Amino acid sequence: MASYVTKEGLEKMKAELEQLETVERPKITMQIAEARDKGDLSENAEYDAAKEAQGMLEMRISKLKDAISTSKIIDESQLDTSKVSILTTVRLKNNATNQEQVFTLVPDNESDLKAGKISVNTPIAKGLLGKVIGETADITLPNGNKLSFEVLEITL
């Protein structure tokens, strides 16, 4: 199954993979060799810890390679700002508080709440998808709370 990413998101994954393969992998190999040189492996906690770290690293490398190979870059020039969709930035009015909020809807692996980037798979984003300016999105959160937002502006 393809996962959608921005060009920046794909570059970030490739950079992490490069770091893991060229820096972290040799570091763990060295730790294993050093622990092995200390003798009896059956009671060697350093060796066990290094082998476990190696397993976790290899799993992360494998997941990254898989994610990169199945990623499709989202063509921002093809995005439609007449309605809320992935990679659009939405200025909203919270109807309960009259406060404005701004969110950018991004792929899962690029969400960053502090930067105002929320995953398209969150309840709020799902409730906003497809809405147009002036429309109200009534969203029920997993905890049962209800939110109501008016879409004020949609941009890229």
Side-chain angles (χ1 to χ4, degrees):
M1 187 179 108
S3 60
Y4 291 94
V5 295
T6 60
K7 189 171 181 2
E8 297 78 34
L10 184 60
E11 293 306 318
K12 198 168 153 185
M13 284 193 292
K14 286 180 178 177
E16 182 183 353
L17 180 61
E18 173 83 12
Q19 167 78 10
L20 294 177
E21 289 183 325
T22 61
V23 177
E24 300 302 323
R25 185 184 270 163
K27 206 185 289 183
I28 286 182
T29 303
M30 186 100 83
Q31 289 171 356
I32 290 171
E34 287 172 7
R36 191 179 297 125
D37 290 343
K38 291 183 179 172
D40 185 8
L41 298 181
S42 64
E43 294 179 17
N44 190 328
E46 284 180 48
Y47 179 79
D48 291 342
K51 287 299 280 182
E52 188 173 324
Q54 181 185 41
M56 298 295 279
L57 177 73
E58 293 303 325
M59 190 167 54
R60 179 70 185 140
I61 288 172
S62 176
K63 281 185 174 182
L64 271 172
K65 283 182 172 179
D66 187 49
I68 290 168
S69 71
T70 60
S71 290
K72 293 204 180 316
I73 294 178
I74 300 165
D75 182 356
E76 294 184 38
S77 68
Q78 300 298 310
L79 294 176
D80 175 9
T81 57
S82 69
K83 63 181 184 290
V84 179
S85 65
I86 191 165
L87 292 191
T88 56
T89 298
V90 189
R91 190 165 56 89
L92 308 164
K93 181 179 82 173
N94 182 323
N95 291 329
T97 64
N98 277 333
Q99 289 186 316
E100 288 189 14
Q101 291 178 282
V102 178
F103 294 117
T104 301
L105 279 56
V106 296
D108 271 340
N109 61 341
E110 296 180 37
S111 65
D112 179 356
L113 198 52
K114 287 182 182 152
K117 296 178 175 183
I118 62 171
S119 164
V120 290
N121 292 318
T122 60
I124 290 175
K126 285 180 177 179
L128 293 171
L129 288 172
K131 299 291 185 212
V132 298
I133 293 173
E135 205 169 348
T136 298
D138 294 314
I139 301 161
T140 302
L141 300 177
N143 64 6
N145 289 348
K146 294 184 186 307
L147 296 174
S148 178
F149 294 106
E150 180 184 345
V151 178
L152 301 177
E153 182 182 31
I154 304 168
T155 56
L156 281 181

